[in-house]
Amino acid sequence: MPSTLNNIAKQGEYGSAMMPVIQGVGRAAIEIAAVLRGAVLRGALGAAGGENVQGEQQQMLDVLSDEIFLEEMRSTGFVCAVGSEEQEELLVIEEYSHADYLVLVDPLDGSSNLDVDGPVGTIFSVVKRKTPNSETPHVSDTLQSGRHVIAAGYVLYGPSTMLVCSVGAGVHGYTFNPAAARFELSHADMRIPESGGYYSVNEANKAKWADNMGENLIRLKQEKGLGMRYVGAMVADMHRTILKGGVFLYPADDKNVTGKLRLLYEAIPMGFIMEQAGGKSMSKDIAVLDIEPEALHQRVPVYLGSKDNVDSLLG
Ligand code: P6P
């Protein structure tokens, strides 16, 4: 009998509490994957007509994925509120506003890949509320550094649908088995190689990078002779980086002066996973997980990957 998401209950201090929440993520992933597979045939690709809080054009599937994810978090009964890339304000789950946990989510990361049938993902992290359970959850409950993350992970919608997650006891990858309609353990204890692999960045922005990152990258390429891969969806680029080694980076530049990627539902969950997999997660001169968040949709520069490569890059 293969290990399933039930396996999470046996992992670390928070495994049993996090299993139902991650099972909820799994149910949302299965439904989102099914919607993605048929989207082009149902005319469900393309813009929804609005903009999200980031000022980015919302895809119809961004909106639908957000609704699916919220509903599955509600159905767990353990989540009191959700902070989503697609929602300006914290979404309180009224009937469970007394519950212990909040979930931060990018429901459909890399959705600009959808109309070219490219990989996309879901990124999530879980924190324990700071406010009393008798009170209504508040956005301040989400403003906790990555050192307080209880669980985090991502779903990769690629040739297979993978759910990769950690509850603080290593990183484990589960692949959806359509025949059995469940996620089964396929990548136990994922560890990033100490060095090597690829560098992964949108090099078109190099001339605009802050912090001399252009010179640093040239030096890294000369020193390490890395290959280059860039999908344009953080989940896909990060998954490859963990499996093959190397470094993924999105520096600040003169357009995104504090960086493009969002701290609470991209950098922190991915930084948590990277550190649990034996890698390093930096935001220029501070560890991603040490940043004290100040706003729900705050952006930061990120340098995530093999310790040797991140150290070489940042000098
Ligand atoms: P660019 C997708 O929009 C995203 O948030 C990440 O998934 C991805 O790593 C990055 O932005 C891609 O940004 O500027 O290279 O298109």
Side-chain angles (χ1 to χ4, degrees), residues 22-290:
I22 296 175
Q23 286 176 328
V25 174
R27 291 193 301 273
I30 294 167
E31 192 170 350
I32 291 168
V35 166
L36 295 178
R37 299 272 179 269
V40 68
L41 300 174
R42 296 187 181 85
L45 293 181
E51 281 188 350
N52 63 16
V53 63
Q54 330 287 340
E56 295 162 348
Q57 203 177 54
Q58 269 184 321
Q59 303 293 309
M60 285 185 274
L61 291 174
D62 284 320
V63 175
L64 182 54
S65 299
D66 190 46
E67 290 168 358
I68 291 169
F69 191 88
L70 177 65
E71 191 42 45
E72 289 304 341
M73 290 303 98
R74 183 196 318 275
S75 74
T76 67
F78 288 88
V79 177
C80 62
V82 174
S84 168
E85 181 194 41
E86 301 303 331
Q87 304 287 342
E88 183 155 7
E89 307 298 334
L90 182 72
L91 281 171
V92 175
I93 298 176
E94 294 302 339
E95 61 267 51
Y96 297 109
S97 61
H98 58 281
D100 287 338
Y101 300 106
L102 293 93
V103 178
L104 287 306
V105 66
D106 182 352
L108 200 61
D109 177 69
S111 54
S112 57
N113 277 353
L114 287 169
D115 54 2
V116 294
D117 206 23
V120 292
T122 297
I123 309 172
F124 71 95
S125 73
V126 186
V127 294
K128 196 170 172 64
R129 70 188 297 167
K130 295 185 291 187
T131 51
N133 294 63
S134 56
E135 293 180 10
T136 301
H138 186 266
V139 66
S140 60
D141 283 313
T142 68
L143 304 181
Q144 301 184 50
S145 80
R147 300 299 174 198
H148 297 286
V149 162
I150 304 287
Y154 58 84
V155 180
L156 176 56
Y157 307 99
S160 67
T161 299
M162 269 201 76
L163 195 164
V164 176
C165 62
S166 175
V167 293
V171 178
H172 307 283
Y174 302 82
T175 297
F176 182 64
N177 176 356
R182 67 182 175 215
F183 282 95
E184 296 177 0
L185 184 65
S186 55
H187 297 65
D189 196 20
M190 293 168 66
R191 303 289 295 173
I192 187 170
E194 278 296 313
S195 181
Y198 302 96
Y199 73 94
S200 183
V201 65
N202 182 343
E203 234 170 327
N205 299 330
K206 184 157 68 175
K208 302 182 290 182
W209 289 342
D211 311 315
N212 295 319
M213 210 43 70
E215 292 80 31
N216 289 7
L217 182 63
I218 290 167
R219 176 169 44 76
L220 176 73
K221 289 160 71 172
Q222 287 166 346
E223 284 173 3
K224 302 291 182 183
L226 299 177
M228 191 279 194
R229 292 284 187 282
Y230 190 70
V231 176
M234 187 183 193
V235 169
D237 284 318
M238 282 294 296
H239 188 64
R240 182 199 53 253
T241 302
I242 294 171
L243 293 179
K244 304 287 187 185
V247 57
F248 169 82
L249 57 152
Y250 207 108
D253 59 39
D254 57 14
K255 179 180 165 217
N256 299 294
V257 293
T258 60
K260 175 179 183 183
L261 300 181
R262 276 58 56 132
L263 175 60
L264 285 182
Y265 41 80
E266 289 176 315
I268 284 178
M270 286 303 193
F272 181 81
I273 289 289
M274 184 55 77
E275 288 200 3
Q276 285 289 317
K280 195 159 186 177
S281 306
M282 296 299 290
S283 182
K284 211 176 90 181
D285 49 7
I286 181 173
V288 168
L289 302 189
D290 289 335

